[in-house]
Amino acid sequence: MTRKYFGTDGVRGTSNSGVMTADMVLRIGMAAGNLYKRGNHRHRVVIGKDTRLSGYMIEQALTAGLLASGMDVYLLGPVPTPAVAMLTRSMRSDLGVMISASHNPYQDNGIKIFGPDGYKLSDEQERRIESLLDQPSITVATPAEIGRAKRIDDAQARYIEFAKRTFPKDMKLDGLRVVIDTANGAAYKVAPTALWELGAEIIQIGHEPDGTNINAKCGSTAPEAMCAKVRELRADIGIALDGDADRAIICDEHGHVIDGDQVMALIAAAWNRRGELRGGGLVATVMSNLGLERYLASENLSLVRTAVGDRYVVEHMRSHGFNVGGEQSGHIVLSDFSTTGDGLLAAFQVLAEVVRSRKPVSEVCNVFAPVPQVLKNVKFKTGKPLEDNQVKSAMADAQARLGNSGRLVIRPSGTEPLIRVMAEGDDEGMVRGIVDELCGVIAKAAA
């Protein structure tokens, strides 16, 4: 059954319209609180947010709905998404909620919900919430059972200490110059602080949020600023987080970008050498590069692919015993430490390997040769262009041309009105031609 309000990563939309109005968010709070009470104790939920202007409005509306359902609310303020997941478990909460639209521009916002175990809700759990949202009324608490709200002043400090404990105890970052770009987002305080306390010399960019500049020409989706700063100041490494800090993109000392596929390969290989890798490989999505798959095979490790979305990666990791997984975009899930993607923890693992090897980042992170891969987006307003017969025919022809030496992935975005067209193969010219042709056919069908 298709979900009506939830996408691949919670509820998301333009602020003050659609699902992101105050009254709709209020109902989401009431529905979630109504469904996730366990026993007769005082029920509690922790709420974090990033730095978007609309976060104030959504935080208040969500709080009102949860209080009305009878849950006590603990407000964390601006913290990364993985901090919410961690604190949900640490504070024995019944739910955790992150208010963020991740890498989207400030006009958008969203709601990510975590269960008491710190994992994002499953599709079926989200459908249960949706079933209440479509009802005329939602059951609320009696006057004596209305919840209370409280601000938690040390949420950032708790997360910093948690993050630092994932870095090897016998290591320091002394002597390393690190450019940290926090995308004017949720980690603008915690990430630089944690790096500095571990000994690094830090250079901050994207650390002055004003409510409207989150992800604006900065962060993991616009790493050019980080790369330029690394080259300008001759830093050893650059780390760019996205708006809610659940993903990271790295660059080396030359300002060359290192994507999530290389980071996953590095961590999996390093953990495998030390006997710490579980599952016999790693879990990634259909978007990960074919070069990663070939490299892992050369190391007698497997690559399991899932649908796009770190939630699906995590679900497979949990059910099959893997402890490394993620996405090419920089969502890296290290289940020994966290229940969701965490950009800072992934960066710490990269830094640990740099310290161990005493080699530059360009050598440490150049793990495999990626296969030429081209990704383009096609905008559409309504309809289902991928069901068009001409599009289906063009897709079949493209896959036949790629044969066994390439891959084709075409899918609608789960967060934006886009069709994503990706192809990869050893012949870069063929790959580019195939993507351009398919984009043209899809654009015509979407017109």
Side-chain angles (χ1 to χ4, degrees), residues 174-201:
D174 298 351
L176 280 179
R177 303 189 79 196
V178 179
V179 171
I180 176 67
D181 179 354
T182 47
N184 295 311
Y188 78 102
K189 288 185 179 179
V190 298
T193 300
L195 286 162
W196 184 84
E197 290 182 359
L198 287 172
E201 176 188 345

